[in-house]
Amino acid sequence: MTGADLRAKAILGLRYAIAGGLTSLVYIVVYNLMVYLGLVRFFSSNLAYGAALLFQYSAHGKFTFGHRETKPGTLWRYLIAVGVGFLIAALISQANTKLYDLPDLAVSAIVMVIVACTNFLFFNFWVYADQTPKPIQGDHGES
């Protein structure tokens, strides 16, 4: 791996972290604004979660992975990846309740790290990956 490759990976990781941090900020702002305006916390949370997902989809697509336009199937792959992350979070929380009884703050931190790493792998290698077919080795399109 060259120095340029390492630099590119570091920049990708930094962009991923920035977009993720901003996504969390979107959730916090929307949630607190809705609660302040009198909306029930349950609906405030759902609205904030939806706003954060929309922001995250766009931020990672354009900022993190540099897509200028949405490619076919990207949204569905994104929703599947987010669903897997949701299931992982639920399973970790349930396992903690049944087996470990760790403090909620510790479980939240564990979920955050595992889901962020899982999402990065999904986003990098599947959701936002270049989906254009590659020519077969030795096939240069010549007849």
Side-chain angles (χ1 to χ4, degrees):
M1 185 172 295
T2 68
D5 291 337
L6 288 174
R7 184 175 183 275
K9 290 185 184 307
I11 290 171
L12 180 65
L14 180 61
R15 285 177 173 254
Y16 182 78
I18 289 169
L22 290 173
T23 297
S24 297
L25 189 60
V26 166
Y27 177 88
I28 291 166
V29 168
V30 172
Y31 174 79
N32 284 290
L33 178 62
M34 293 300 104
V35 168
Y36 175 78
L37 294 174
L39 194 62
V40 177
R41 281 179 172 78
F42 175 78
F43 293 117
S44 296
S45 179
N46 290 331
L47 185 62
Y49 193 76
L53 285 179
L54 288 173
F55 176 83
Q56 180 186 51
Y57 175 72
S58 179
H60 282 312
K62 295 188 186 320
F63 177 70
T64 305
F65 296 101
H67 290 231
R68 298 216 184 279
E69 60 188 44
T70 302
K71 298 180 181 185
T74 303
L75 178 59
W76 287 111
R77 290 189 300 273
Y78 171 77
L79 292 173
I80 290 167
V82 168
V84 169
F86 180 80
L87 289 175
I88 289 170
L91 289 171
I92 290 171
S93 297
Q94 186 64 21
N96 179 59
T97 301
K98 298 290 184 191
L99 303 173
Y100 304 111
D101 199 29
L102 296 171
D104 290 331
L105 189 57
V107 175
S108 298
I110 292 167
V111 166
M112 182 181 72
V113 169
I114 291 174
V115 171
C117 291
T118 303
N119 279 349
F120 179 79
L121 293 173
F122 268 115
F123 293 171
N124 190 38
F125 295 109
W126 186 51
V127 175
Y128 298 106
D130 185 8
Q131 300 295 324
T132 56
K134 305 282 189 271
I136 298 171
Q137 182 102 12
D139 180 12
H140 301 289
E142 298 171 7
S143 303

